[in-house]
Amino acid sequence: MKRFALLFFLFPLCVWTQQQYTALRTTAKIAVDAKMNEEVWTKADSTQNEFITIRPIPALKSEHRTTVRMVYDDFALYFFVTCFDVKDSISKVFTVRDDYNANADIFSIFMDTYNDHQNGFYFGITSTGVQLDGKILSGDVNDQLNLVWESQVRISDNAWLAELKIPYSALRFSKQEVQSWNVNFGRQIARTREESSWVTVNPDFENFLVNSAPLKGISNINPPLRLSLIPYLSGYVNQEEHGFGRSFFGGMDVKYGINEAFTLDVTLVPDFGQVIYDNQVLNTSPFEIQFNENRQFFTEGMELFNKSGIFYSRRIGVQAPREVLITNLQNQEVLNGVQGMPQLYNASKFSGRTKKGLGIGIFNALSAPTVGTAFNTVTNEFREFLAAPLTNYNTLVFDQNLKNNSSLTLTNTNVLREGIFYDANVTALNANLNTKDNKFFLNGRSAVSQKYAAIENELGYNLGLSAGKQRGNLIYSLNYFEEDDQYDPNDLGFNPVNNRRFVNAFIGYRYFKPWWKFVRMTTNVSLSYNRLYRPNVYTESNLDWSAFAMTKHFDAYGVSAYTSFTEKYDYFEPRVWGSYFVIPRWYGAGGWISTNYQKPLAVDANFYYVGFAENPSWKYLNYMFSPRIRASNRILVTLNWTLEDQRNERGYAVQFGAPVDTVSGILFGERNRMNLTQYLEFNYTLNNRMNIALRTRHYWSVLSYSRFFTLAEDGSLAPNATLGLTADGSSAYDLNYNAFTVDCAYRWVFKQGSELSLVWKSAIFTSGNTLNTGYLRNMDDMFNAGLTNNSFSIKLLYWLDVAELKKLKSRQDTP
């Protein structure tokens, strides 16, 4: 009876102490100046709970108090934040927008306007006034989404203060009388590496929406007209073979809120000429290389389309599948190249989420035909041909939120091509299920690909299942995946290899509390077993181990070791299906270090080694050294040297010329390969809206063969007497390849959502078979032999918010 009485007494106490925030409605005009002069701020509630640390030591009260006040009106939410701190200790580091930099003091807002603990919005502000924002999906923040909102920061004697105005046009929420939202706040203190939150977030599951509190008091607000027009004008001066050419472009992006939850984004005649160069490399593998997407329209607001993993936006206007490009080649012809990127006529995306948690995404794009150059290996003649036709790309997504941070996602991609080219379709279903406390998970996925050609259609599939524990110190998982030899999503996705089966087991241990000289440690072990799907034969099995630790001085260290249990049977390296290459059992180890970024000079470095048991001369060595120099609060310089040294490697002999000898069978070679990558990044942030960024990159690859082999039926190598020479006596297989690029940009955000950019881009790409040159000689030869491509451009973007224009016109018409 006494126990019952005690529980009865404590129950209302628990309810009373549950965290929540009640916002105050106002009709007063609020100036966003970080001064809190308006009387309404004295009436607004202030957060009472102390912020609780996430790192470096979790579950402690933050050493520095943070208070948040919030009010709202018919048009926007307003936040006034006080981050108490010693004035001289507040970070004065400037960064570019959306850079969650370790050297910046940052205050963050995590808003769950769907009340599903999965989808929301992130807004952040640094102590120097730099904005950060993004769209949240399942705990991940996509910071490529630049929203339009206002902020101001001021430094006082004992704190830095921030005032934020977030218009409803920057949010998505349902139309109802009383809004049911959740919110959490976070803070980063750079000098102590402290990260804390208002609602406690555990380091074993850092999800600020799952761990959020009810936001009460918001009612009778209406989703505004969300119609924005973003016209652009751009001009280019490009270096050409016989001088300079000029070009001018114009187009527009349109953002239209169809209703309170769904948005239509359209880009008309887009211009991506200022996008940075790809990190080009010499690829001698049998697999395609995946590059990052840098075009803004294809990075912002794409989290729904990317969720199933079958959408690769670079297929649209940049990286067409090779199977398409070679469709119109004739006998004895090879693809010599593609003439630039095709014009993207338009692209549109429709996305949003209903009141019941159903996310819907529709994507469409239309690209112009692409012209390629074919080389006839018999006549040595070149000709132009249609490499890719007029192409229409479509993606459809349905993503249903479920309880406990779970979801069910159906995605379909479809590619339609004009003329004799084949069409393609892929459908994927993903299920992510979590227990109530998110401690255990079960994930399933499956996809079906179809190709529709004039002669024969192709049908393929994959299937995967994962289960395990994802919270706590001890985590583990068991994974199974299979993919048949016909599965091919590469018309609008990226999958470098199919025809595989594997089982993987993972176990890890994470320790989040201080011990000895460390504040955080992790270690994990992974076992994998691999087979082909067809034929169902064994290929390899491996063991990987790694460990990580961070010291109390915030220097991080990592070590790893790895080995194969048996020889590897590689069915892809020979490039002829049915053959395989036996790779000796391998082993290796490595380590890395990353020193405290708070110091003016920090260093990242690593070293990795791989050796082969039955061929000691075959080895891989990898070195990386990267100093980071913070010259001032506005200037950051990063240098990087990475050397990949592959000694006496054996693999398929890739031709770069026409050898005199006729070789029967599959030719392999023993070779040395050196890949040296260097880059320099210089960032000068003039203020919170203006910056200059310079990035230079030099990639140098030297491939030198010492002898050749013929691949035998049992996967071994038999000596081959060929010298691999062309008619002029040079090597048909050796190569010296250089890629040198420069991207220099000045950007000024002169108005929220509006930008002026000046960009200089330069590139040199060379290849030849002169190998015995030193670094300086190679640089000299590269600059003398290569045609330098230079481009100078200016681009103006201007954000026009139709709702703001209407309000302005209404005020002007009022007598």
Side-chain angles (χ1 to χ4, degrees):
M1 184 66 183
K2 291 182 179 178
R3 182 177 300 175
F4 177 82
L6 180 62
L7 290 173
F8 184 82
F9 175 78
L10 289 177
F11 178 76
L13 180 63
C14 294
V15 174
W16 176 257
T17 57
Q18 182 183 10
Q19 279 181 261
Q20 68 175 37
Y21 187 90
T22 302
L24 177 67
R25 190 181 187 99
T26 183
T27 57
K29 183 178 180 181
I30 298 178
V32 182
D33 54 12
K35 295 181 179 179
M36 205 166 70
N37 290 330
E38 295 82 6
E39 184 181 356
V40 66
W41 288 121
T42 63
K43 300 177 181 179
D45 288 340
S46 174
T47 52
Q48 299 300 317
N49 299 72
E50 297 283 353
F51 277 45
I52 303 300
T53 58
I54 305 170
R55 58 175 57 90
I57 304 174
L60 301 178
K61 289 184 178 181
S62 175
E63 294 182 1
H64 299 279
R65 194 160 59 95
T66 306
T67 63
V68 186
R69 290 178 169 86
M70 178 184 171
V71 299
Y72 71 100
D73 59 18
D74 290 337
F75 308 105
L77 307 174
Y78 301 84
F79 295 87
F80 198 96
V81 183
T82 305
C83 298
F84 291 94
D85 207 341
V86 179
K87 182 177 182 180
D88 293 338
S89 299
I90 297 171
S91 173
K92 300 175 180 62
V93 172
F94 281 84
T95 65
V96 297
R97 178 170 178 154
D98 292 329
D99 180 10
Y100 201 94
N101 195 292
N103 293 309
D105 286 352
I106 302 173
F107 175 80
S108 300
I109 303 170
F110 302 86
M111 299 198 64
D112 175 17
T113 57
Y114 298 99
N115 193 27
D116 61 4
H117 299 287
Q118 295 188 53
N119 300 271
F121 296 88
Y122 166 75
F123 299 90
I125 191 74
T126 74
S127 56
T128 55
V130 179
Q131 292 184 347
L132 305 92
D133 53 24
K135 184 76 167 61
I136 304 174
L137 177 62
S138 300
D140 296 324
V141 178
N142 178 5
D143 61 7
Q144 299 299 316
L145 179 66
N146 286 335
L147 303 169
V148 177
W149 49 287
E150 298 179 45
S151 60
Q152 190 60 256
V153 167
R154 183 171 63 88
I155 307 296
S156 71
D157 290 336
N158 64 343
W160 63 276
L161 307 99
E163 190 168 4
L164 296 79
K165 177 184 178 182
I166 302 174
Y168 299 136
S169 59
L171 302 172
R172 306 290 181 271
F173 54 90
S174 60
K175 187 176 182 180
Q176 51 191 19
E177 182 178 351
V178 178
Q179 297 295 327
S180 180
W181 297 354
N182 300 295
V183 69
N184 200 354
F185 306 114
R187 182 178 176 185
Q188 173 179 286
I189 301 175
R191 70 182 183 280
T192 61
R193 288 288 186 95
E194 181 185 285
E195 294 182 35
S196 59
S197 61
W198 178 54
V199 179
T200 302
V201 175
N202 293 318
D204 68 334
F205 187 68
E206 291 188 31
N207 191 310
F208 284 83
L209 294 189
V210 170
N211 301 289
S212 58
L215 177 57
K216 301 292 186 180
I218 299 180
S219 61
N220 298 311
I221 63 172
N222 294 312
L225 169 66
R226 293 186 286 112
L227 176 58
S228 301
L229 308 176
I230 314 168
Y232 82 86
L233 292 172
S234 61
Y236 290 81
V237 177
N238 298 313
Q239 183 181 12
E240 299 174 347
E241 187 174 356
H242 302 293
F244 288 86
R246 298 179 180 85
S247 56
F248 299 92
F249 301 94
M252 180 182 294
D253 287 355
V254 180
K255 297 179 181 292
Y256 174 52
I258 296 174
N259 58 26
E260 68 272 14
F262 290 92
T263 302
L264 175 67
D265 291 270
V266 180
T267 182
L268 304 172
V269 195
D271 170 29
F272 301 119
Q274 291 190 337
V275 171
I276 65 171
Y277 283 109
D278 291 328
N279 292 335
Q280 296 290 345
V281 297
L282 176 62
N283 182 20
T284 59
S285 78
F287 309 119
E288 183 183 16
I289 293 177
Q290 185 173 15
F291 293 100
N292 292 331
E293 176 62 88
N294 296 310
R295 297 172 296 174
Q296 185 173 355
F297 182 83
F298 295 100
T299 57
E300 64 174 26
M302 299 298 291
E303 58 281 341
L304 196 60
F305 300 98
N306 293 324
K307 190 170 182 179
S308 291
I310 62 170
F311 181 81
Y312 179 49
S313 59
R314 284 180 60 96
R315 296 294 183 203
I316 304 167
V318 181
Q319 203 171 338
R322 180 174 177 80
E323 187 175 351
V324 172
L325 298 177
I326 64 175
T327 299
N328 281 335
L329 290 180
Q330 300 173 2
N331 291 335
Q332 287 85 44
E333 284 187 340
V334 295
L335 180 66
N336 185 67
V338 177
Q339 298 178 9
M341 293 189 299
Q343 173 64 52
L344 184 64
Y345 290 139
N346 60 68
S348 59
K349 52 191 175 187
F350 167 90
S351 61
R353 195 167 292 273
T354 67
K355 296 178 182 179
K356 295 185 178 181
L358 176 62
I360 302 174
I362 302 173
F363 178 92
N364 176 267
L366 183 67
S367 68
T370 303
V371 175
T373 304
F375 174 70
N376 191 301
T377 57
V378 176
T379 64
N380 293 329
E381 293 178 340
F382 294 90
R383 74 174 180 94
E384 291 187 353
F385 72 104
L386 179 64
L390 179 73
T391 306
N392 185 261
Y393 303 89
N394 300 278
T395 303
L396 175 65
V397 183
F398 295 102
D399 178 52
Q400 179 63 56
N401 291 337
L402 304 174
K403 291 182 178 180
N404 308 324
N405 200 32
S406 304
S407 64
L408 184 67
T409 307
L410 178 69
T411 304
N412 176 265
T413 65
N414 183 269
V415 179
L416 301 174
R417 298 185 175 93
E418 186 180 42
I420 66 170
F421 294 80
Y422 71 88
D423 300 326
N425 187 85
V426 180
T427 302
L429 180 65
N430 293 54
N432 302 304
L433 307 175
N434 300 295
T435 57
K436 187 174 181 180
D437 56 1
N438 283 273
K439 190 173 184 178
F440 298 96
F441 70 91
L442 175 65
N443 297 336
R445 54 176 173 146
S446 183
V448 175
S449 69
Q450 297 167 287
K451 287 185 177 181
Y452 305 100
I455 301 176
E456 184 181 6
N457 297 334
E458 293 182 11
L459 178 68
Y461 84 97
N462 70 21
L463 175 68
L465 189 65
S466 302
K469 180 174 178 285
Q470 61 188 352
R471 295 201 62 178
N473 297 104
L474 180 68
I475 56 175
Y476 50 82
S477 65
L478 183 64
N479 313 284
Y480 174 77
F481 182 77
E482 71 173 40
E483 192 168 74
D484 75 2
D485 57 341
Q486 297 295 311
Y487 179 73
D488 185 0
N490 287 316
D491 293 276
L492 195 45
F494 186 88
N495 189 49
V497 59
N498 58 13
N499 194 11
R500 50 184 174 154
R501 279 192 175 102
F502 69 80
V503 178
N504 173 267
F506 168 89
I507 185 168
Y509 189 82
R510 306 174 296 178
Y511 194 71
F512 301 105
K513 296 181 179 180
W515 177 79
W516 193 41
K517 297 182 179 181
F518 302 105
V519 293
R520 176 174 293 198
M521 294 173 290
T522 65
T523 185
N524 59 72
V525 176
S526 176
L527 291 167
S528 63
Y529 176 84
N530 299 266
R531 302 181 70 88
L532 287 186
Y533 178 87
R534 184 179 291 117
N536 183 15
V537 295
Y538 170 81
T539 56
E540 64 177 320
S541 54
N542 306 319
L543 169 68
D544 294 273
W545 168 81
S546 65
F548 155 83
M550 177 176 285
T551 70
K552 295 179 180 179
H553 299 291
F554 307 112
D555 298 322
Y557 302 88
V559 293
S560 58
Y562 26 84
T563 186
S564 62
F565 291 109
T566 66
E567 297 173 326
K568 176 181 178 180
Y569 299 86
D570 191 337
Y571 284 79
F572 299 98
E573 182 66 15
R575 274 74 157 178
V576 176
W577 188 244
S579 300
Y580 61 89
F581 172 47
V582 178
I583 299 175
R585 189 175 66 83
W586 52 266
Y587 55 89
W592 58 268
I593 180 174
S594 180
T595 65
N596 187 355
Y597 282 8
Q598 288 296 313
K599 297 181 180 180
L601 175 62
V603 172
D604 294 317
N606 67 41
F607 170 76
Y608 295 99
Y609 169 84
V610 175
F612 294 82
E614 298 174 10
N615 189 351
S617 64
W618 182 356
K619 61 187 66 176
Y620 295 152
L621 300 165
N622 182 290
Y623 316 83
M624 188 275 287
F625 178 73
S626 179
R628 295 168 52 94
I629 305 166
R630 184 156 49 87
S632 71
N633 289 325
R634 301 173 188 268
I635 298 175
L636 175 65
V637 180
T638 304
L639 302 113
N640 182 284
W641 291 271
T642 300
L643 176 64
E644 300 171 75
D645 187 5
Q646 302 172 8
R647 302 178 185 177
N648 300 306
E649 177 197 31
R650 294 185 177 184
Y652 178 80
V654 180
Q655 288 184 206
F656 300 103
V660 175
D661 298 340
T662 301
V663 179
S664 60
I666 303 172
L667 189 67
F668 270 58
E670 184 172 278
R671 61 208 179 192
N672 290 330
R673 179 168 180 178
M674 183 277 299
N675 298 326
L676 176 63
T677 305
Q678 307 170 87
Y679 69 77
L680 164 68
E681 291 183 350
F682 173 86
N683 287 284
Y684 178 29
T685 306
L686 288 82
N687 54 47
N688 59 6
R689 291 194 176 191
M690 191 183 301
N691 76 286
I692 298 172
L694 169 68
R695 182 181 188 269
T696 67
R697 176 181 180 268
H698 177 215
Y699 172 82
W700 180 28
S701 183
V702 178
L703 186 65
S704 175
Y705 284 82
S706 57
R707 53 179 174 159
F708 295 92
F709 306 90
T710 302
L711 181 65
E713 290 186 4
D714 63 356
S716 63
L717 298 178
N720 189 298
T722 183
L723 298 177
L725 302 179
T726 63
D728 62 4
S730 61
S731 173
Y733 300 93
D734 293 350
L735 194 72
N736 185 337
Y737 175 79
N738 287 273
F740 183 86
T741 58
V742 178
D743 293 274
C744 183
Y746 163 82
R747 286 190 167 84
W748 172 34
V749 180
F750 58 89
K751 175 181 176 289
Q752 290 295 342
S754 302
E755 179 181 292
L756 175 68
S757 58
L758 304 173
V759 173
W760 167 49
K761 298 175 63 177
S762 183
I764 302 174
F765 301 101
T766 67
S767 61
N769 51 24
T770 302
L771 306 182
N772 298 319
T773 61
Y775 175 78
L776 295 178
R777 175 66 183 274
N778 175 73
M779 293 289 288
D780 186 59
D781 291 344
M782 178 185 68
F783 284 114
N784 290 330
L787 173 64
T788 304
N789 300 308
N790 283 295
S791 172
F792 303 89
S793 61
I794 180 171
K795 187 173 185 178
L796 176 67
L797 290 168
Y798 197 84
W799 178 285
L800 297 171
D801 189 321
V802 175
E804 290 295 325
L805 293 176
K806 280 189 172 183
K807 286 194 292 183
L808 179 62
K809 186 177 185 301
S810 176
R811 286 195 293 266
Q812 292 175 344
D813 293 342
T814 302

